[in-house]
Amino acid sequence: MPALESRLWALNTPNTTYVVALDPHDGLRGIHWGRSLTAAQADSLRELPGAVRRSVSDGRDAVLDLAPASAFRYGVNGLQVRFADGTRDLELAFTEVVRTDRELTLVFTDGHYGLEVRTTYRTRADTDVIERSTSLVNRGAEPVEVIRADSATWVIPEREDYRLTQLFGEWGAETRINRTSLPYGETHLGSRRGHTSHQANPWAAIDDGTATESHGEVWSTALAWSGTWRLTAERAPTDRVAISVGFGHDPVSVALAPGETLETPVAAGLYATGGFAASAAAWHDYALRYVLPHPEELRPVIYNSWEATEFDISADNQAALAERAAAMGCELFVMDDGWFGSRVHDRAGLGDWHPNPDRFPDGLGPLIKRVHDLGMRFGLWVEPEMVNPDSELYRSRPDWVYHQPHRRRSEMRNQLVLNLARTDVAEWMHGRLDELLAGDEIDFLKWDMNRPFSEAGWPGAEDPDRLWFDHTRNLYRILDRLRADHPNLRIESCASGGGRVDFGILRRTDQVWTSDNTDAVDRLEIQEGFAQVYPAKVMGAWVTDSPNPFTRREVPLDFRFHAAMAGALAVGGDLLKWTEAESRRGAELVADYKRIRGTVQLGRRSPIRAGEIRGAQYGRGDETVVLAWRRSRRLGYRDPLVKLAGLESDARYRDERTGRIHHGAVLATHGLDLDLQPWDYASTMVELVRMP
Ligand code: GLA
């Protein structure tokens, strides 16, 4: 195996180093992604033997950081094109390096066809997350068909074994954790649905099979994109692993015109020691610092009226709910579906974004004023990308939906998807929403998207597959524009629950609707997966009625609240039916949450598992909060003590409720007695404050 040439670059983050180097074929080898190395140590890596144990192609089959489809590369390739004359293989030569303090761009060119490929790495002073993206510039005279342009291919360092962690799910059961030994060959995760999807979240982690919550090395990557995507984890028979991730799905391709540039979204990567909890905490930190638009702002306690009134909305019942919600301490009242057009059920009205004249004869103004007078902000549900065929919009613009000639227009929830890739549709959508927000009385939008694409065609378009990319790009543009023009507006991303949760949408929204399943027990599992990547601050969590409308399970009020307090707490039950005692207890728990929310939303999370107890610990400054839940005890055993993480051994901590003083060393080694009630569905919240 020929040695690596002198062209080697090292990138440093606070606790890690990432090293790439060119091989004699100008292949970009990822040669280190792990603990920090000095420049001399990184430099010495070039003397180590190459990336494959044995090669029959002079190293051209090595795992690469930039993986162009070319000779002897039979595995997954993150970069695939077809030139106008049918040539598919790329022959990329390294041409230039552009390096600034925190950014490295390596430029490669296919000399014959004039295709330039730029791959960029960005680091920051206070996170170990590395952001990568790739751009393709067509400097040739003919269009180039781009079949695959991944944002990044991450080479995982060689280990004895490899395990994949993924977040999988479906509607009402999103972001659940699955850990599985990584098989040989290619394992694809992704979405072909037009949005991020409930089925797979664009994140994955690799460890060597021995990592735990608190120990071990974890490599992970997240894609900041809300359209279709593909992530491939490939374990070669040589036992080398790479993860390639990017937007788009097979078999779509786009034509890159001469002079045109294709920019990929950001794929972020993280190497963490300290196990899955440390990895999750580093992702949260990154999201709070570099993704979310208002990092320090705490999310308000929302009341959402959907489960209470569904489509039976009236100005009176909304006002009555708003009164109860305000009395409970809620800070933002959201009127959900059913306020506009002829939307009195899910069969009509989508697309007609003006208040239903029968329900709101004087417009929304009086209700908004009532809500504001109650001291709450006002939010509204919209689903701008959709249309019911039974609507004024569809009757006047039937050509505005995705469709294909001679194919039916399949409906889901009686609706079709608007072709937001079209400039005129995007302009109309922005205009309608901007008009709705005029006067800045509406403080919050819940932006929903309730069905995936089907028959996704664009008759007459020159390059119809672009719709898969341009839909998402135009969605981002509209969100960005609305935010810029209405700086106090906050937005929740929803897609039938958690179908559009990713760092792309989170760059321009403030929180997400985690799942339509509001059953507190199911939520614990969904929330645990969500928390692998996304911070509690963005995780919308409602307390709803019991029995739960989705699962029919009966769960006590405290348990429901304590489960929802692990995220951005909201109330979504029919408060007009709650007893006085329930309302009073609800108000107490909302007040509890307001005291701890800074720590939950912005603090460091460590999961808790002790016997039958599940929970999470949050730490920020001097404050530690524990939320814990236990469905039932087994065999009459008492609950184990819960060991706390990250406390100072020599410090003492006061329990704000009981006044008891605990020693850090004892909490860490023996644990805290949560003193849960012996009965089923016990739960608690503990606030500990470090004593001066
Ligand atoms: C989706 C959302 C719900 C609700 C309904 C309204 O299912 O996830 O929260 O807004 O739409 O139709």
Side-chain angles (χ1 to χ4, degrees), residues 21 50 86 93 106 232 336 422 442 465 488 581 584 598 632 646 661 670 680:
L106 301 172
T232 307
D336 212 280
R422 286 174 61 138
I442 295 169
D465 279 359
N488 294 324
R584 220 177 312 114
S632 55
I661 310 289
H670 292 268
D680 287 356

Side-chain angles (χ1 to χ4, degrees), residues 171 304 306 311 336-337 343 346 381 383 413 446 448 450 494-498 513 515-516 542:
W171 172 65
N304 180 299
W306 171 245
F311 290 106
D336 212 280
D337 199 350
R343 185 79 169 172
D346 66 11
W381 179 94
E383 195 184 4
R413 211 188 186 208
K446 173 177 173 184
D448 209 339
N450 275 314
C494 173
S496 295
W513 180 221
S515 178
D516 277 343
W542 303 351

Side-chain angles (χ1 to χ4, degrees), residues 166-188:
Q166 64 181 138
L167 299 177
F168 77 105
E170 57 180 311
W171 172 65
E174 297 86 337
T175 53
R176 284 172 297 144
I177 301 173
N178 181 47
R179 295 195 208 285
T180 177
S181 167
L182 185 64
Y184 290 98
E186 296 166 27
T187 303
H188 297 293

Side-chain angles (χ1 to χ4, degrees), residues 149-227:
D150 278 351
S151 304
T153 304
W154 305 94
V155 174
I156 308 296
E158 193 164 4
R159 291 295 181 270
E160 286 288 306
D161 200 1
Y162 303 94
R163 177 171 59 172
L164 172 73
T165 303
Q166 64 181 138
L167 299 177
F168 77 105
E170 57 180 311
W171 172 65
E174 297 86 337
T175 53
R176 284 172 297 144
I177 301 173
N178 181 47
R179 295 195 208 285
T180 177
S181 167
L182 185 64
Y184 290 98
E186 296 166 27
T187 303
H188 297 293
L189 314 180
S191 163
R192 296 191 178 94
R193 291 167 193 264
H195 61 32
T196 324
S197 95
H198 303 79
Q199 284 69 19
N201 193 266
W203 173 88
I206 298 284
D207 73 294
D208 70 358
T210 65
T212 64
E213 284 299 337
S214 52
H215 297 284
E217 298 177 297
V218 181
W219 293 264
S220 51
T221 181
L223 182 70
W225 181 249
S226 315

